[in-house]
Amino acid sequence: MGILNDDAVLIEPGKNSGDPNIVTVNCPDESGLGSTLCRIILEFGLSITRADFSTDGRWCYIVFWVIPDSSGAKIDLGSLKNRLLSACPSSLGAFYFCLQSNVSKPPSLYLLKFFCRDRKGLLHDVTKVLTELEFTIQRVKVMTTPDGRVLDMFFITDAMDLLHTKRRQTETCDHLTAVLGEHGVSCELELAGPELESVQRFSSLSPVAADELFGLDGFDVSSSSNKAVLTVDNELSPAHTLLQIHCVDQKGLFYDILRTSKDCDVHIAYGRFSSKVKGYRNLDLFVRGTDGKKIADPKHQANFCSRLKEEMLCPLRVIIVNRGPDTELLVANPVELSGKGRPRVFFDVTLALKSLGICIFSAEIGRHSTLDRQWEVYRFLLDENREFPLASLRARKQIVDRVTKTLMGW
């Protein structure tokens, strides 16, 4: 969005190994800014251990304490600062509005295509490189040939918006070549035009698979009521509704709460995201409706709390189904009203499957619409594995558990 004052985002590295980095954002406010900042932090493989934020609707002040999801992970704090700065609205008024039409255009979509010999963990290794280079994977098509070769097609956007340059393209192919090593054969990058629309097409889900994945029976939040307790108080503050949340901790929890509040048109004026205690988090949020007043309507309160509880307890859905003679792993997450899916899902799923030694025969990313929302769906056809025979219900449960725990950070 283009803010020129570097002091809008300050990052203080942790003093000792294991200490959190402290990220301070001090800039003009806009609707959904907190959700956008949390999303960027999640994209960088960071977890928010604590947070404090406040806004008067015009200016906001936010402090995040963040640590890497995995030990030993290297985080480019300079790139993180630049990405956070790019999300901050400018305080330069007319100058900002003159530029807005240019900076708000959607990023260009590119097709990365490579053909190489297959091996265990290849898809995750490639995904790791793309993630580290700050690419967002929008769509994917992975196909394995009978002779043990694989054709991977990644439709990606560049957070740096530099993929049109020769230098950035060469850097990308060089990093991939280093990972593929002797397995590599070819690597190509091109702007994805309308002629590639058929390649991006997503195979429709069978009615049985869709019902199991999106039906409420398998994801009944009432059975997990002790994992999330929400309390609404309209007496403590004269101008805001106090929402207190006690919830089991998981990766992206703060992001899920803020994105849901944004999509439900609930504005947070002040909030505190406390440190984890015995696997649980406590949050205090002072909120208002779109009219700037308390949320007094009991029906509105109930609908918002129900939606929030569902998004906190079931932000992702993971199942294994039969697809003809094959076995397919399905992972789904809600799409934000802005049209964006959840960060790093493909990264985490391929990491979980690699850790189990399970090879992926083919993979797809697409969208599926239900009555009330749109979902991003990840489909993985799995290869047979001696340790995890896919016909076994026990093996399937182990795979689903490992993928779910990796996605949730458990």
Side-chain angles (χ1 to χ4, degrees):
M1 309 251 322
I3 188 166
L4 302 182
N5 181 7
D6 277 359
D7 289 343
V9 177
L10 298 175
I11 301 181
E12 180 185 340
K15 292 183 174 60
N16 302 304
S17 177
D19 287 351
N21 303 298
I22 302 175
V23 180
T24 305
V25 181
N26 186 16
C27 71
D29 194 17
E30 70 174 8
S31 178
L33 177 61
S35 172
T36 301
L37 297 176
C38 288
R39 179 188 177 82
I40 292 171
I41 289 170
L42 193 57
E43 286 176 349
F44 272 78
L46 294 166
S47 291
I48 298 171
T49 62
R50 288 173 54 199
D52 281 303
F53 62 98
S54 62
T55 176
D56 60 3
R58 295 180 297 274
W59 199 271
C60 70
Y61 183 79
I62 311 174
V63 183
F64 299 104
W65 286 260
V66 300
I67 58 173
D69 283 336
S70 57
S71 59
K74 294 182 179 179
I75 306 298
D76 187 338
L77 295 181
S79 292
L80 174 62
K81 178 175 179 175
N82 290 336
R83 288 286 306 282
L84 293 171
L85 277 170
S86 71
C88 294
S90 172
S91 58
L92 300 181
F95 177 71
Y96 163 69
F97 287 109
C98 288
L99 292 178
Q100 190 176 25
S101 60
N102 293 326
V103 298
S104 61
K105 64 180 181 181
S108 299
L109 186 68
Y110 287 83
L111 170 61
L112 169 65
K113 181 167 56 177
F114 62 89
F115 186 62
C116 64
R117 288 187 291 277
D118 198 13
R119 63 170 169 80
K120 284 185 179 180
L122 173 66
L123 190 55
H124 176 71
D125 294 342
V126 171
T127 303
K128 186 172 185 288
V129 170
L130 297 179
T131 302
E132 290 172 348
L133 290 172
E134 295 186 51
F135 293 123
T136 299
I137 300 171
Q138 304 290 352
R139 297 285 187 275
V140 108
K141 287 277 188 179
V142 176
M143 294 162 283
T144 305
T145 62
D147 63 352
R149 295 174 184 268
V150 61
L151 174 62
D152 287 3
M153 291 182 288
F154 287 84
F155 291 87
I156 57 177
T157 53
D158 184 8
M160 296 183 179
D161 198 22
L162 294 173
L163 202 46
H164 60 281
T165 66
K166 185 67 176 177
R167 179 177 179 180
R168 181 72 160 155
Q169 292 179 9
T170 301
E171 175 192 33
T172 301
C173 287
D174 286 348
H175 276 77
L176 286 171
T177 301
V179 169
L180 297 175
E182 61 181 16
H183 295 268
V185 175
S186 66
C187 175
E188 301 174 12
L189 258 171
E190 62 179 300
L191 193 63
E195 69 278 4
L196 294 171
E197 188 173 334
S198 61
V199 181
Q200 299 184 63
R201 194 167 294 131
F202 183 64
S203 306
S204 60
L205 293 171
S206 71
V208 174
D211 185 61
E212 184 177 353
L213 191 59
F214 304 115
L216 294 178
D217 292 343
F219 300 92
D220 182 9
V221 297
S222 63
S223 63
S224 304
S225 57
N226 62 320
K227 293 185 177 180
V229 178
L230 283 70
T231 305
V232 177
D233 185 342
N234 269 323
E235 302 299 324
L236 185 65
S237 169
H240 301 89
T241 295
L242 170 61
L243 177 64
Q244 294 180 303
I245 301 173
H246 177 71
C247 182
V248 65
D249 190 35
Q250 62 201 33
K251 185 189 296 184
L253 176 61
F254 200 35
Y255 162 73
D256 288 323
I257 292 171
L258 294 191
R259 69 170 173 83
T260 305
S261 300
K262 177 187 70 173
D263 287 352
C264 292
D265 287 327
V266 172
H267 303 286
I268 302 173
Y270 172 80
R272 170 162 290 174
F273 183 63
S274 301
S275 298
K276 179 170 61 176
V277 177
K278 295 182 179 179
Y280 279 79
R281 296 276 187 182
N282 289 308
L283 290 89
D284 295 314
L285 305 176
F286 288 84
V287 303
R288 291 179 296 188
T290 52
D291 57 1
K293 299 179 180 179
K294 294 182 180 184
I295 303 175
D297 181 10
K299 185 177 179 180
H300 188 184
Q301 291 179 12
N303 289 340
F304 175 55
C305 288
S306 175
R307 174 72 178 274
L308 199 55
K309 184 175 287 191
E310 180 183 350
E311 298 296 337
M312 288 190 297
L313 295 177
C314 304
L316 296 130
R317 302 186 176 190
V318 184
I319 63 171
I320 289 181
V321 298
N322 294 324
R323 186 177 177 182
D326 300 313
T327 302
E328 184 172 50
L329 172 70
L330 298 175
V331 179
N333 59 264
V335 175
E336 296 181 28
L337 289 183
S338 64
K340 294 180 179 179
R342 190 181 188 85
R344 294 177 73 91
V345 174
F346 197 78
F347 179 95
D348 285 338
V349 175
T350 54
L351 173 62
L353 294 176
K354 179 182 178 180
S355 70
L356 293 171
I358 295 174
C359 290
I360 299 166
F361 182 77
S362 72
E364 291 181 273
I365 304 176
R367 298 286 172 96
H368 179 90
S369 295
T370 57
L371 288 175
D372 59 343
R373 68 177 66 182
Q374 190 179 46
W375 298 80
E376 192 161 57
V377 181
Y378 299 76
R379 308 179 66 166
F380 302 88
L381 282 183
L382 306 180
D383 272 343
E384 274 294 341
N385 182 290
R386 185 175 299 177
E387 188 175 350
F388 296 95
L390 298 177
S392 163
L393 292 179
R394 180 183 177 187
R396 290 187 175 199
K397 184 179 184 303
Q398 288 175 316
I399 295 169
V400 167
D401 286 348
R402 176 65 65 87
V403 171
T404 301
K405 287 178 179 179
T406 304
L407 286 165
M408 303 294 274
W410 293 338

